[in-house]
């Protein structure tokens, strides 16, 4: 749809600089720890989802295709580098070692995993019940 310009890139950078939080998916545990700490959220167990262990590596992609992707994504790459710099600054300003330890404990503790999962299901069941009650009140 016309492509991106360097002006759009600079506008995106200005917008991102105002965000309260920047996270990186490839550093999810750290990002989650930082987010929990920033917002005062409790650490919960989360399962690794959408992890594709059979995904082909870069070596499986033809060199011509990789070259085309790199040429077309230069602005995306620059924006990613900027996000990485913002992320590193956030990490330098925070000590998340305690939160990372709680994440590790939740991951290895079967009891904590079960308790967090039960709490989530109870919350979702409550939302469903509230939705049904609103429906019944409205339509009898």
């Amino acid at each position: 749809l016309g492509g991106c310009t360097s002006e759009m890139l600079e506008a995106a950078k200005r917008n991102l600089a105002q965000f309260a939080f920047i996270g990186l998916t490839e550093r999810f545990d750290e990002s989650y720890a930082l987010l929990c700490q920033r917002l005062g959220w409790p650490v919960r167990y989360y399962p690794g989802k959408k992890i594709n262990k059979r995904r082909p590596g870069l070596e499986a992609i033809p060199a011509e295709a990789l070259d085309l992707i790199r040429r077309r994504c230069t602005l995306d790459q620059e924006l990613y580098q900027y996000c990485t710099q913002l992320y590193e600054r956030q990490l330098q300003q925070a000590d998340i070692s305690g939160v990372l330890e709680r994440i590790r404990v939740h991951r290895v503790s079967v009891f904590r995993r079960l308790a967090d999962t039960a709490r989530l299901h109870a919350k979702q069941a409550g939302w469903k019940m509230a939705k049904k009650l609103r429906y019944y009140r409205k339509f009898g």
Side-chain angles (χ1 to χ4, degrees):
L1 299 175
C4 292
T5 65
S6 56
E7 292 81 21
M8 293 171 156
L9 173 64
E10 293 308 314
K13 286 180 179 181
R14 283 191 304 275
N15 289 337
L16 284 168
Q18 297 175 23
F19 281 26
F21 171 77
I22 302 286
L24 300 175
T25 54
E26 66 273 16
R27 294 172 71 179
F28 189 84
D29 283 355
E30 279 181 341
S31 297
Y32 177 61
L34 186 60
L35 185 62
C36 286
Q37 186 183 57
R38 279 246 163 116
L39 300 179
W41 289 353
V43 171
R44 301 273 190 237
Y45 168 73
Y46 57 89
K49 292 200 176 191
K50 297 188 180 187
I51 296 172
N52 185 353
K53 293 182 176 143
R54 292 179 284 158
R55 177 178 157 185
L58 285 178
E59 64 278 351
I61 301 172
E64 306 84 35
L66 282 174
D67 187 48
L68 178 62
I69 291 168
R70 285 185 185 108
R71 281 183 293 164
R72 297 253 176 138
C73 296
T74 56
L75 295 178
D76 293 319
Q77 215 31 52
E78 190 175 334
L79 185 61
Y80 173 78
Q81 292 303 321
Y82 181 74
C83 286
T84 302
Q85 291 169 2
L86 291 176
Y87 178 76
E88 290 296 336
R89 270 190 245 142
Q90 289 178 142
L91 279 181
Q92 288 173 359
Q93 296 169 359
D95 178 17
I96 59 168
S97 57
V99 184
L100 281 171
E101 177 60 21
R102 287 197 301 273
I103 290 170
R104 188 193 67 72
V105 167
H106 276 255
R107 190 165 286 133
V108 298
S109 168
V110 173
F111 172 76
R112 290 192 186 270
R113 285 197 315 256
L114 288 172
D116 286 345
T117 303
R119 192 176 299 112
L120 176 64
H121 286 295
K123 187 183 283 187
Q124 289 173 342
W127 291 335
K128 288 178 185 176
M129 181 61 73
K131 187 176 179 181
K132 284 180 183 177
L133 287 173
R134 282 193 304 271
Y135 176 83
Y136 290 131
R137 283 186 194 142
K138 188 173 183 178
F139 299 108

